[in-house]
Amino acid sequence: MGDERLALQANEKDNVATVFEEGVTAGMQVTVVDAAGNRTVHAVADDIPFGHKFALCDIAQGELIIKYGEEIGVASRDIAQGAYVHVHNLDSMRGRGDLEKGA
Amino acid sequence: MPSFMGYKRPDGRFGARNLVGIIPSVTCANDVAQAINRQVQGTVAYLHHQGCCQLPPDLERVTDTLISLGRGPNVAAVLIVSLGCEGTDHARMYEELRATGKPVEIIHIQELGGVTKAIRVGTDIARRLAIQVSGLQREKADISNLVMSIKCGASDTTSGVASNCVIGAVSDRLVDLGATVVFGETTEFIGGEHLLARRAVTPEVGQRIYDIVDAMETRAKSIGCDMRRGQPTPGNIAGGLSSIEEKSLGAIAKSGSRPIQGVLDYPAFVMDQKGLWIKDTPGREPEILTGMAATGAQLMCFSTGLGAPQGFPSMPVIKICGNPYTFVRMEEDMDVNAGLVITGEKSIDEVADEVFAKILRVASGEMTKNEAIGYFSAIDIHCLGPVI
């Protein structure tokens, strides 16, 4: 929608941004707009579907993933800057009955 | 002061609709209720799946919820359809609904000698009730008489930055005008409960928020698996939501920013409670829509990203779509395009203006898209214990 490919960083603490464009593919430059309206350009390392997230910085396995300035999960493996962040590398920390088996 | 045109009920509430509610006291009475509903104009039937072979607290919960549905201001008169041997307390339903001053009748299928006889008798009663209430006229009602329920369903990541923010802005305006706003989906507080608890009017209310979230999460965890794919759903995940925490943080945006006055139990009906309230409900549509209608909400604002089309028989549901692509694909089911926030064509406040105007029109009689196509038969009552 327009020439720029836009993504949103909802809060300054966030280490992920959400892409709100269709057709963002690996290697493309994406303009990340933060809550204050500042714009920074990031290259994405993977295809990122509309509404999905990528890492704004390197995130090590076990580090928290932050969106809206709040914890949305934990990195289940190392995530490089620009990489796609979703259920394959982000674990939820809540509703985890599987972690309580036999506890 | 904004106002709407509503039907004044004996309890002083104002209805946005003028319906005869056909209430099966148990799921075994659904077919009779449905047959009457199909035959008589101006009726709605609540075809739920509860009411027998449940533990006593759930039977009481179902009885209370059905009473609250009948008390709803959009319901002008009630016909209860009882089988006769059910676990719910159909006598109490009849007595408590009669006490509201509305016309209320009850039939018992077993006592009448079977299904066809009950359909015949029930149709006669419903026809009489429909004619009796059909001449009521709308009167001007201050906006403070409005109870708006809110929900998000089939969410994606646009919900938390567009449509839920729009509903949040509308919620703040209604609260400031003295109206009542009720939100729920306790599952979708998980990961954001601290933000809600901070807005509680008292420490006790804050603790209650933590308690209902803990109970919901404990029930989910008791199955021994990761909740993901139950919540968030496969659709949510396809839409970019990676965890319940991410979904919740977006979901609670629809509650706006005003103080939270308290937590309502699932069957609770609000009379004089103003401001912003939580109702303890799951997120799934059939159960939360019933719970919200039981609150006495005249209408619901429903945010969606992937396109959830469901409604409720006696509560108009306004669909507000945050995803601009979904809005174009499903425009026939979506009332308001909040996707224009994503494309940068409108601000959250501008779309909130549009929703606010729509609310006044719908409260005054304008149909929502969902209502016009009558897509609202899948309803249910949320119970806590097993079917036994």
Side-chain angles (χ1 to χ4, degrees), chain A residues 1 50-53 67 70 72 86 90 92-98 100-101, chain B residues 157 193-194 217 221 224-228 237-238 240 242-243 245-246 323 343:
Chain A
M1 295 191 180
F50 176 93
H52 290 237
K53 299 174 290 296
K67 180 180 171 184
E70 301 287 333
I72 62 164
H86 201 23
L90 180 157
S92 173
M93 300 178 290
R94 302 291 300 271
R96 294 296 301 270
D98 56 326
E100 296 191 357
K101 268 184 182 168
Chain B
T157 52
E193 61 267 63
H194 56 297
E217 190 174 8
K221 286 201 295 193
C225 62
D226 187 350
M227 193 172 75
R228 198 150 65 174
I237 293 169
S242 304
S243 65
E245 296 95 312
E246 183 181 10
N323 184 319
T343 60

PDB file of all heavy atoms in Angstrom, chain A residues 1 50-53 67 70 72 86 90 92-98 100-101, chain B residues 157 193-194 217 221 224-228 237-238 240 242-243 245-246 323 343:
ATOM      1  N   MET A   1       0.864  -1.192   0.000  1.00  0.00           N
ATOM      2  CA  MET A   1       0.000   0.000   0.000  1.00  0.00           C
ATOM      3  C   MET A   1       0.896   1.236   0.000  1.00  0.00           C
ATOM      4  O   MET A   1       1.256   1.739   1.044  1.00  0.00           O
ATOM      5  CB  MET A   1      -0.888  -0.010   1.249  1.00  0.00           C
ATOM      6  CG  MET A   1      -1.860  -1.163   1.245  1.00  0.00           C
ATOM      7  SD  MET A   1      -3.052  -0.970   2.522  1.00  0.00           S
ATOM      8  CE  MET A   1      -4.036  -2.437   2.258  1.00  0.00           C
ATOM      9  N   PHE A  50       1.998 -10.532   5.849  1.00  0.00           N
ATOM     10  CA  PHE A  50       1.244  -9.405   6.428  1.00  0.00           C
ATOM     11  C   PHE A  50       0.861  -9.723   7.871  1.00  0.00           C
ATOM     12  O   PHE A  50       0.321 -10.790   8.154  1.00  0.00           O
ATOM     13  CB  PHE A  50      -0.028  -9.155   5.599  1.00  0.00           C
ATOM     14  CG  PHE A  50      -0.930  -8.091   6.158  1.00  0.00           C
ATOM     15  CD1 PHE A  50      -0.809  -6.777   5.743  1.00  0.00           C
ATOM     16  CD2 PHE A  50      -1.901  -8.399   7.109  1.00  0.00           C
ATOM     17  CE1 PHE A  50      -1.641  -5.784   6.264  1.00  0.00           C
ATOM     18  CE2 PHE A  50      -2.730  -7.414   7.640  1.00  0.00           C
ATOM     19  CZ  PHE A  50      -2.596  -6.102   7.214  1.00  0.00           C
ATOM     20  N   GLY A  51       1.157  -8.787   8.760  1.00  0.00           N
ATOM     21  CA  GLY A  51       0.768  -8.947  10.162  1.00  0.00           C
ATOM     22  C   GLY A  51       1.744  -9.756  10.994  1.00  0.00           C
ATOM     23  O   GLY A  51       1.501  -9.965  12.177  1.00  0.00           O
ATOM     24  N   HIS A  52       2.821 -10.220  10.377  1.00  0.00           N
ATOM     25  CA  HIS A  52       3.795 -11.043  11.115  1.00  0.00           C
ATOM     26  C   HIS A  52       5.011 -10.199  11.502  1.00  0.00           C
ATOM     27  O   HIS A  52       5.166  -9.064  11.066  1.00  0.00           O
ATOM     28  CB  HIS A  52       4.171 -12.265  10.283  1.00  0.00           C
ATOM     29  CG  HIS A  52       3.051 -13.259  10.162  1.00  0.00           C
ATOM     30  ND1 HIS A  52       3.165 -14.586  10.547  1.00  0.00           N
ATOM     31  CD2 HIS A  52       1.769 -13.112   9.711  1.00  0.00           C
ATOM     32  CE1 HIS A  52       2.012 -15.211  10.319  1.00  0.00           C
ATOM     33  NE2 HIS A  52       1.154 -14.342   9.813  1.00  0.00           N
ATOM     34  N   LYS A  53       5.891 -10.790  12.333  1.00  0.00           N
ATOM     35  CA  LYS A  53       6.946 -10.019  12.996  1.00  0.00           C
ATOM     36  C   LYS A  53       8.351 -10.404  12.536  1.00  0.00           C
ATOM     37  O   LYS A  53       8.584 -11.547  12.127  1.00  0.00           O
ATOM     38  CB  LYS A  53       6.878 -10.281  14.515  1.00  0.00           C
ATOM     39  CG  LYS A  53       5.588  -9.867  15.175  1.00  0.00           C
ATOM     40  CD  LYS A  53       5.528 -10.278  16.637  1.00  0.00           C
ATOM     41  CE  LYS A  53       5.402 -11.779  16.859  1.00  0.00           C
ATOM     42  NZ  LYS A  53       4.158 -12.381  16.348  1.00  0.00           N
ATOM     43  N   LYS A  67       6.817  -6.990  22.818  1.00  0.00           N
ATOM     44  CA  LYS A  67       5.958  -6.227  21.905  1.00  0.00           C
ATOM     45  C   LYS A  67       4.968  -5.449  22.759  1.00  0.00           C
ATOM     46  O   LYS A  67       4.550  -5.956  23.804  1.00  0.00           O
ATOM     47  CB  LYS A  67       5.230  -7.186  20.945  1.00  0.00           C
ATOM     48  CG  LYS A  67       4.315  -6.476  19.954  1.00  0.00           C
ATOM     49  CD  LYS A  67       3.605  -7.451  19.014  1.00  0.00           C
ATOM     50  CE  LYS A  67       2.540  -6.727  18.211  1.00  0.00           C
ATOM     51  NZ  LYS A  67       1.755  -7.643  17.365  1.00  0.00           N
ATOM     52  N   GLU A  70       5.720  -5.151  26.420  1.00  0.00           N
ATOM     53  CA  GLU A  70       5.444  -6.243  27.365  1.00  0.00           C
ATOM     54  C   GLU A  70       5.986  -7.559  26.808  1.00  0.00           C
ATOM     55  O   GLU A  70       6.204  -7.693  25.603  1.00  0.00           O
ATOM     56  CB  GLU A  70       3.923  -6.379  27.579  1.00  0.00           C
ATOM     57  CG  GLU A  70       3.242  -5.131  28.110  1.00  0.00           C
ATOM     58  CD  GLU A  70       3.541  -4.853  29.584  1.00  0.00           C
ATOM     59  OE1 GLU A  70       3.830  -5.821  30.319  1.00  0.00           O
ATOM     60  OE2 GLU A  70       3.503  -3.670  29.980  1.00  0.00           O
ATOM     61  N   ILE A  72       5.933 -11.060  25.300  1.00  0.00           N
ATOM     62  CA  ILE A  72       4.975 -11.906  24.569  1.00  0.00           C
ATOM     63  C   ILE A  72       5.491 -13.339  24.436  1.00  0.00           C
ATOM     64  O   ILE A  72       4.833 -14.180  23.856  1.00  0.00           O
ATOM     65  CB  ILE A  72       4.631 -11.343  23.173  1.00  0.00           C
ATOM     66  CG1 ILE A  72       5.862 -11.261  22.263  1.00  0.00           C
ATOM     67  CG2 ILE A  72       3.948  -9.984  23.282  1.00  0.00           C
ATOM     68  CD1 ILE A  72       5.514 -11.094  20.781  1.00  0.00           C
ATOM     69  N   HIS A  86       8.173 -16.052  14.974  1.00  0.00           N
ATOM     70  CA  HIS A  86       6.821 -16.611  15.115  1.00  0.00           C
ATOM     71  C   HIS A  86       6.921 -17.882  15.958  1.00  0.00           C
ATOM     72  O   HIS A  86       7.914 -18.075  16.660  1.00  0.00           O
ATOM     73  CB  HIS A  86       6.227 -16.858  13.725  1.00  0.00           C
ATOM     74  CG  HIS A  86       4.711 -16.956  13.722  1.00  0.00           C
ATOM     75  ND1 HIS A  86       3.906 -16.415  14.688  1.00  0.00           N
ATOM     76  CD2 HIS A  86       3.857 -17.553  12.839  1.00  0.00           C
ATOM     77  CE1 HIS A  86       2.625 -16.660  14.407  1.00  0.00           C
ATOM     78  NE2 HIS A  86       2.570 -17.359  13.295  1.00  0.00           N
ATOM     79  N   LEU A  90       9.575 -18.676  18.890  1.00  0.00           N
ATOM     80  CA  LEU A  90       9.041 -17.972  20.058  1.00  0.00           C
ATOM     81  C   LEU A  90       8.150 -18.935  20.834  1.00  0.00           C
ATOM     82  O   LEU A  90       7.201 -19.485  20.269  1.00  0.00           O
ATOM     83  CB  LEU A  90       8.227 -16.752  19.601  1.00  0.00           C
ATOM     84  CG  LEU A  90       7.574 -15.851  20.668  1.00  0.00           C
ATOM     85  CD1 LEU A  90       7.312 -14.453  20.093  1.00  0.00           C
ATOM     86  CD2 LEU A  90       6.287 -16.410  21.250  1.00  0.00           C
ATOM     87  N   SER A  92       5.530 -19.502  24.018  1.00  0.00           N
ATOM     88  CA  SER A  92       4.682 -18.849  25.002  1.00  0.00           C
ATOM     89  C   SER A  92       5.130 -19.277  26.394  1.00  0.00           C
ATOM     90  O   SER A  92       5.644 -20.384  26.586  1.00  0.00           O
ATOM     91  CB  SER A  92       3.229 -19.266  24.768  1.00  0.00           C
ATOM     92  OG  SER A  92       2.409 -18.785  25.809  1.00  0.00           O
ATOM     93  N   MET A  93       4.928 -18.405  27.368  1.00  0.00           N
ATOM     94  CA  MET A  93       5.281 -18.755  28.750  1.00  0.00           C
ATOM     95  C   MET A  93       4.046 -19.019  29.599  1.00  0.00           C
ATOM     96  O   MET A  93       4.154 -19.268  30.789  1.00  0.00           O
ATOM     97  CB  MET A  93       6.115 -17.612  29.358  1.00  0.00           C
ATOM     98  CG  MET A  93       7.403 -17.350  28.582  1.00  0.00           C
ATOM     99  SD  MET A  93       8.354 -15.969  29.246  1.00  0.00           S
ATOM    100  CE  MET A  93       7.319 -14.599  28.799  1.00  0.00           C
ATOM    101  N   ARG A  94       2.878 -18.951  28.973  1.00  0.00           N
ATOM    102  CA  ARG A  94       1.649 -19.096  29.741  1.00  0.00           C
ATOM    103  C   ARG A  94       0.784 -20.227  29.176  1.00  0.00           C
ATOM    104  O   ARG A  94       0.868 -20.565  28.002  1.00  0.00           O
ATOM    105  CB  ARG A  94       0.870 -17.777  29.712  1.00  0.00           C
ATOM    106  CG  ARG A  94       1.651 -16.592  30.259  1.00  0.00           C
ATOM    107  CD  ARG A  94       1.875 -16.683  31.755  1.00  0.00           C
ATOM    108  NE  ARG A  94       0.636 -16.726  32.500  1.00  0.00           N
ATOM    109  CZ  ARG A  94      -0.014 -15.638  32.929  1.00  0.00           C
ATOM    110  NH1 ARG A  94       0.480 -14.436  32.700  1.00  0.00           N
ATOM    111  NH2 ARG A  94      -1.129 -15.749  33.627  1.00  0.00           N
ATOM    112  N   GLY A  95      -0.051 -20.789  30.068  1.00  0.00           N
ATOM    113  CA  GLY A  95      -0.931 -21.877  29.646  1.00  0.00           C
ATOM    114  C   GLY A  95      -0.145 -23.119  29.261  1.00  0.00           C
ATOM    115  O   GLY A  95      -0.585 -23.913  28.443  1.00  0.00           O
ATOM    116  N   ARG A  96       1.041 -23.288  29.879  1.00  0.00           N
ATOM    117  CA  ARG A  96       1.936 -24.375  29.478  1.00  0.00           C
ATOM    118  C   ARG A  96       1.745 -25.599  30.379  1.00  0.00           C
ATOM    119  O   ARG A  96       2.614 -25.945  31.184  1.00  0.00           O
ATOM    120  CB  ARG A  96       3.386 -23.884  29.501  1.00  0.00           C
ATOM    121  CG  ARG A  96       3.686 -22.798  28.464  1.00  0.00           C
ATOM    122  CD  ARG A  96       3.521 -23.307  27.036  1.00  0.00           C
ATOM    123  NE  ARG A  96       4.381 -24.429  26.746  1.00  0.00           N
ATOM    124  CZ  ARG A  96       5.616 -24.319  26.262  1.00  0.00           C
ATOM    125  NH1 ARG A  96       6.128 -23.139  25.998  1.00  0.00           N
ATOM    126  NH2 ARG A  96       6.332 -25.398  26.009  1.00  0.00           N
ATOM    127  N   GLY A  97       0.617 -26.247  30.204  1.00  0.00           N
ATOM    128  CA  GLY A  97       0.354 -27.479  30.946  1.00  0.00           C
ATOM    129  C   GLY A  97       1.377 -28.546  30.647  1.00  0.00           C
ATOM    130  O   GLY A  97       1.658 -29.435  31.472  1.00  0.00           O
ATOM    131  N   ASP A  98       1.982 -28.498  29.442  1.00  0.00           N
ATOM    132  CA  ASP A  98       2.989 -29.498  29.055  1.00  0.00           C
ATOM    133  C   ASP A  98       4.220 -29.432  29.919  1.00  0.00           C
ATOM    134  O   ASP A  98       4.915 -30.432  30.118  1.00  0.00           O
ATOM    135  CB  ASP A  98       3.382 -29.322  27.574  1.00  0.00           C
ATOM    136  CG  ASP A  98       3.883 -27.906  27.273  1.00  0.00           C
ATOM    137  OD1 ASP A  98       3.384 -26.942  27.889  1.00  0.00           O
ATOM    138  OD2 ASP A  98       4.766 -27.769  26.402  1.00  0.00           O
ATOM    139  N   GLU A 100       4.244 -28.826  33.043  1.00  0.00           N
ATOM    140  CA  GLU A 100       3.917 -29.178  34.431  1.00  0.00           C
ATOM    141  C   GLU A 100       3.631 -30.659  34.589  1.00  0.00           C
ATOM    142  O   GLU A 100       3.297 -31.127  35.658  1.00  0.00           O
ATOM    143  CB  GLU A 100       2.714 -28.364  34.918  1.00  0.00           C
ATOM    144  CG  GLU A 100       3.058 -26.887  34.943  1.00  0.00           C
ATOM    145  CD  GLU A 100       2.026 -26.049  35.657  1.00  0.00           C
ATOM    146  OE1 GLU A 100       1.005 -26.604  36.089  1.00  0.00           O
ATOM    147  OE2 GLU A 100       2.255 -24.840  35.772  1.00  0.00           O
ATOM    148  N   LYS A 101       3.771 -31.433  33.519  1.00  0.00           N
ATOM    149  CA  LYS A 101       3.498 -32.867  33.584  1.00  0.00           C
ATOM    150  C   LYS A 101       4.426 -33.513  34.617  1.00  0.00           C
ATOM    151  O   LYS A 101       5.629 -33.323  34.564  1.00  0.00           O
ATOM    152  CB  LYS A 101       3.733 -33.518  32.220  1.00  0.00           C
ATOM    153  CG  LYS A 101       2.486 -33.583  31.381  1.00  0.00           C
ATOM    154  CD  LYS A 101       2.759 -34.320  30.080  1.00  0.00           C
ATOM    155  CE  LYS A 101       1.535 -34.340  29.234  1.00  0.00           C
ATOM    156  NZ  LYS A 101       1.841 -34.778  27.865  1.00  0.00           N
TER     157      LYS A 101
ATOM    158  N   THR B 157      -2.958  -9.651  13.906  1.00  0.00           N
ATOM    159  CA  THR B 157      -2.181  -8.596  14.560  1.00  0.00           C
ATOM    160  C   THR B 157      -2.695  -7.198  14.235  1.00  0.00           C
ATOM    161  O   THR B 157      -2.258  -6.232  14.851  1.00  0.00           O
ATOM    162  CB  THR B 157      -0.687  -8.693  14.183  1.00  0.00           C
ATOM    163  OG1 THR B 157      -0.586  -8.744  12.764  1.00  0.00           O
ATOM    164  CG2 THR B 157      -0.041  -9.911  14.798  1.00  0.00           C
ATOM    165  N   GLU B 193      -2.773  -9.367  32.403  1.00  0.00           N
ATOM    166  CA  GLU B 193      -3.635  -9.142  33.577  1.00  0.00           C
ATOM    167  C   GLU B 193      -3.104  -8.041  34.495  1.00  0.00           C
ATOM    168  O   GLU B 193      -3.882  -7.330  35.129  1.00  0.00           O
ATOM    169  CB  GLU B 193      -3.858 -10.447  34.361  1.00  0.00           C
ATOM    170  CG  GLU B 193      -2.605 -11.110  34.935  1.00  0.00           C
ATOM    171  CD  GLU B 193      -2.008 -12.147  33.998  1.00  0.00           C
ATOM    172  OE1 GLU B 193      -1.590 -11.758  32.900  1.00  0.00           O
ATOM    173  OE2 GLU B 193      -1.931 -13.324  34.378  1.00  0.00           O
ATOM    174  N   HIS B 194      -1.760  -7.878  34.537  1.00  0.00           N
ATOM    175  CA  HIS B 194      -1.183  -6.837  35.403  1.00  0.00           C
ATOM    176  C   HIS B 194      -1.604  -5.436  34.932  1.00  0.00           C
ATOM    177  O   HIS B 194      -1.783  -4.533  35.743  1.00  0.00           O
ATOM    178  CB  HIS B 194       0.340  -6.960  35.442  1.00  0.00           C
ATOM    179  CG  HIS B 194       1.000  -6.924  34.094  1.00  0.00           C
ATOM    180  ND1 HIS B 194       0.766  -7.885  33.128  1.00  0.00           N
ATOM    181  CD2 HIS B 194       1.855  -6.044  33.534  1.00  0.00           C
ATOM    182  CE1 HIS B 194       1.477  -7.587  32.038  1.00  0.00           C
ATOM    183  NE2 HIS B 194       2.140  -6.475  32.257  1.00  0.00           N
ATOM    184  N   GLU B 217      -6.531 -20.143  33.532  1.00  0.00           N
ATOM    185  CA  GLU B 217      -5.267 -20.740  33.087  1.00  0.00           C
ATOM    186  C   GLU B 217      -5.059 -22.117  33.737  1.00  0.00           C
ATOM    187  O   GLU B 217      -4.588 -23.055  33.087  1.00  0.00           O
ATOM    188  CB  GLU B 217      -4.093 -19.807  33.438  1.00  0.00           C
ATOM    189  CG  GLU B 217      -2.777 -20.239  32.789  1.00  0.00           C
ATOM    190  CD  GLU B 217      -1.646 -19.235  33.023  1.00  0.00           C
ATOM    191  OE1 GLU B 217      -1.823 -18.280  33.807  1.00  0.00           O
ATOM    192  OE2 GLU B 217      -0.575 -19.419  32.404  1.00  0.00           O
ATOM    193  N   LYS B 221      -4.407 -25.593  31.889  1.00  0.00           N
ATOM    194  CA  LYS B 221      -3.174 -26.351  32.135  1.00  0.00           C
ATOM    195  C   LYS B 221      -3.452 -27.755  32.660  1.00  0.00           C
ATOM    196  O   LYS B 221      -2.617 -28.650  32.530  1.00  0.00           O
ATOM    197  CB  LYS B 221      -2.279 -25.588  33.126  1.00  0.00           C
ATOM    198  CG  LYS B 221      -1.612 -24.368  32.502  1.00  0.00           C
ATOM    199  CD  LYS B 221      -0.376 -23.909  33.252  1.00  0.00           C
ATOM    200  CE  LYS B 221      -0.676 -23.405  34.627  1.00  0.00           C
ATOM    201  NZ  LYS B 221       0.471 -22.695  35.226  1.00  0.00           N
ATOM    202  N   GLY B 224      -2.675 -30.739  30.643  1.00  0.00           N
ATOM    203  CA  GLY B 224      -1.300 -31.214  30.521  1.00  0.00           C
ATOM    204  C   GLY B 224      -0.638 -30.948  29.181  1.00  0.00           C
ATOM    205  O   GLY B 224       0.298 -31.653  28.806  1.00  0.00           O
ATOM    206  N   CYS B 225      -1.134 -29.988  28.446  1.00  0.00           N
ATOM    207  CA  CYS B 225      -0.507 -29.672  27.160  1.00  0.00           C
ATOM    208  C   CYS B 225      -0.294 -28.169  27.028  1.00  0.00           C
ATOM    209  O   CYS B 225      -0.779 -27.396  27.836  1.00  0.00           O
ATOM    210  CB  CYS B 225      -1.362 -30.180  26.003  1.00  0.00           C
ATOM    211  SG  CYS B 225      -2.981 -29.420  25.933  1.00  0.00           S
ATOM    212  N   ASP B 226       0.434 -27.791  25.980  1.00  0.00           N
ATOM    213  CA  ASP B 226       0.595 -26.378  25.646  1.00  0.00           C
ATOM    214  C   ASP B 226      -0.753 -25.879  25.136  1.00  0.00           C
ATOM    215  O   ASP B 226      -1.374 -26.525  24.282  1.00  0.00           O
ATOM    216  CB  ASP B 226       1.688 -26.238  24.565  1.00  0.00           C
ATOM    217  CG  ASP B 226       2.046 -24.790  24.260  1.00  0.00           C
ATOM    218  OD1 ASP B 226       1.344 -23.875  24.718  1.00  0.00           O
ATOM    219  OD2 ASP B 226       3.043 -24.591  23.532  1.00  0.00           O
ATOM    220  N   MET B 227      -1.196 -24.735  25.658  1.00  0.00           N
ATOM    221  CA  MET B 227      -2.504 -24.192  25.284  1.00  0.00           C
ATOM    222  C   MET B 227      -2.538 -23.709  23.834  1.00  0.00           C
ATOM    223  O   MET B 227      -3.610 -23.563  23.243  1.00  0.00           O
ATOM    224  CB  MET B 227      -2.797 -23.023  26.235  1.00  0.00           C
ATOM    225  CG  MET B 227      -4.183 -22.515  26.236  1.00  0.00           C
ATOM    226  SD  MET B 227      -4.405 -21.308  27.558  1.00  0.00           S
ATOM    227  CE  MET B 227      -3.564 -19.913  26.875  1.00  0.00           C
ATOM    228  N   ARG B 228      -1.336 -23.461  23.268  1.00  0.00           N
ATOM    229  CA  ARG B 228      -1.261 -22.870  21.930  1.00  0.00           C
ATOM    230  C   ARG B 228      -1.944 -23.775  20.909  1.00  0.00           C
ATOM    231  O   ARG B 228      -1.778 -24.985  20.942  1.00  0.00           O
ATOM    232  CB  ARG B 228       0.221 -22.643  21.569  1.00  0.00           C
ATOM    233  CG  ARG B 228       0.428 -21.686  20.441  1.00  0.00           C
ATOM    234  CD  ARG B 228       1.735 -20.921  20.542  1.00  0.00           C
ATOM    235  NE  ARG B 228       2.929 -21.761  20.415  1.00  0.00           N
ATOM    236  CZ  ARG B 228       4.167 -21.256  20.352  1.00  0.00           C
ATOM    237  NH1 ARG B 228       4.378 -19.949  20.416  1.00  0.00           N
ATOM    238  NH2 ARG B 228       5.189 -22.058  20.244  1.00  0.00           N
ATOM    239  N   ILE B 237      -2.796 -17.691  14.781  1.00  0.00           N
ATOM    240  CA  ILE B 237      -1.369 -17.940  14.496  1.00  0.00           C
ATOM    241  C   ILE B 237      -1.078 -17.621  13.028  1.00  0.00           C
ATOM    242  O   ILE B 237      -0.094 -16.951  12.705  1.00  0.00           O
ATOM    243  CB  ILE B 237      -0.990 -19.387  14.873  1.00  0.00           C
ATOM    244  CG1 ILE B 237      -1.092 -19.571  16.407  1.00  0.00           C
ATOM    245  CG2 ILE B 237       0.415 -19.731  14.373  1.00  0.00           C
ATOM    246  CD1 ILE B 237      -0.993 -21.009  16.893  1.00  0.00           C
ATOM    247  N   ALA B 238      -1.974 -18.047  12.138  1.00  0.00           N
ATOM    248  CA  ALA B 238      -1.801 -17.718  10.714  1.00  0.00           C
ATOM    249  C   ALA B 238      -1.836 -16.212  10.505  1.00  0.00           C
ATOM    250  O   ALA B 238      -1.196 -15.682   9.585  1.00  0.00           O
ATOM    251  CB  ALA B 238      -2.892 -18.391   9.881  1.00  0.00           C
ATOM    252  N   GLY B 240      -0.532 -14.097  12.477  1.00  0.00           N
ATOM    253  CA  GLY B 240       0.692 -13.480  12.996  1.00  0.00           C
ATOM    254  C   GLY B 240       0.804 -13.441  14.505  1.00  0.00           C
ATOM    255  O   GLY B 240       1.826 -13.014  15.038  1.00  0.00           O
ATOM    256  N   SER B 242       1.699 -14.941  17.850  1.00  0.00           N
ATOM    257  CA  SER B 242       2.603 -16.048  18.167  1.00  0.00           C
ATOM    258  C   SER B 242       2.308 -16.698  19.504  1.00  0.00           C
ATOM    259  O   SER B 242       2.729 -17.830  19.745  1.00  0.00           O
ATOM    260  CB  SER B 242       4.053 -15.543  18.178  1.00  0.00           C
ATOM    261  OG  SER B 242       4.385 -14.940  16.950  1.00  0.00           O
ATOM    262  N   SER B 243       1.634 -15.991  20.416  1.00  0.00           N
ATOM    263  CA  SER B 243       1.419 -16.527  21.765  1.00  0.00           C
ATOM    264  C   SER B 243       0.161 -15.923  22.356  1.00  0.00           C
ATOM    265  O   SER B 243      -0.340 -14.893  21.879  1.00  0.00           O
ATOM    266  CB  SER B 243       2.615 -16.180  22.669  1.00  0.00           C
ATOM    267  OG  SER B 243       2.682 -14.770  22.847  1.00  0.00           O
ATOM    268  N   GLU B 245       0.101 -14.428  25.089  1.00  0.00           N
ATOM    269  CA  GLU B 245       0.485 -13.120  25.643  1.00  0.00           C
ATOM    270  C   GLU B 245       0.307 -12.025  24.591  1.00  0.00           C
ATOM    271  O   GLU B 245      -0.238 -10.951  24.867  1.00  0.00           O
ATOM    272  CB  GLU B 245       1.949 -13.133  26.103  1.00  0.00           C
ATOM    273  CG  GLU B 245       2.270 -14.081  27.239  1.00  0.00           C
ATOM    274  CD  GLU B 245       2.792 -15.441  26.763  1.00  0.00           C
ATOM    275  OE1 GLU B 245       2.166 -16.040  25.856  1.00  0.00           O
ATOM    276  OE2 GLU B 245       3.819 -15.904  27.298  1.00  0.00           O
ATOM    277  N   GLU B 246       0.780 -12.306  23.375  1.00  0.00           N
ATOM    278  CA  GLU B 246       0.664 -11.302  22.307  1.00  0.00           C
ATOM    279  C   GLU B 246      -0.803 -11.031  21.981  1.00  0.00           C
ATOM    280  O   GLU B 246      -1.220  -9.895  21.801  1.00  0.00           O
ATOM    281  CB  GLU B 246       1.416 -11.779  21.054  1.00  0.00           C
ATOM    282  CG  GLU B 246       1.397 -10.738  19.939  1.00  0.00           C
ATOM    283  CD  GLU B 246       2.125 -11.189  18.671  1.00  0.00           C
ATOM    284  OE1 GLU B 246       2.486 -12.374  18.574  1.00  0.00           O
ATOM    285  OE2 GLU B 246       2.298 -10.338  17.777  1.00  0.00           O
ATOM    286  N   ASN B 323      -8.382  -5.400   9.653  1.00  0.00           N
ATOM    287  CA  ASN B 323      -7.502  -5.806   8.547  1.00  0.00           C
ATOM    288  C   ASN B 323      -8.090  -5.281   7.227  1.00  0.00           C
ATOM    289  O   ASN B 323      -9.184  -5.677   6.826  1.00  0.00           O
ATOM    290  CB  ASN B 323      -7.402  -7.336   8.519  1.00  0.00           C
ATOM    291  CG  ASN B 323      -6.432  -7.835   7.466  1.00  0.00           C
ATOM    292  OD1 ASN B 323      -6.380  -7.318   6.354  1.00  0.00           O
ATOM    293  ND2 ASN B 323      -5.659  -8.856   7.821  1.00  0.00           N
ATOM    294  N   THR B 343      -3.846   1.401   6.848  1.00  0.00           N
ATOM    295  CA  THR B 343      -3.379   1.999   5.593  1.00  0.00           C
ATOM    296  C   THR B 343      -3.027   3.478   5.767  1.00  0.00           C
ATOM    297  O   THR B 343      -2.521   4.107   4.836  1.00  0.00           O
ATOM    298  CB  THR B 343      -4.464   1.889   4.502  1.00  0.00           C
ATOM    299  OG1 THR B 343      -5.650   2.577   4.947  1.00  0.00           O
ATOM    300  CG2 THR B 343      -4.807   0.447   4.204  1.00  0.00           C
TER     301      THR B 343
END
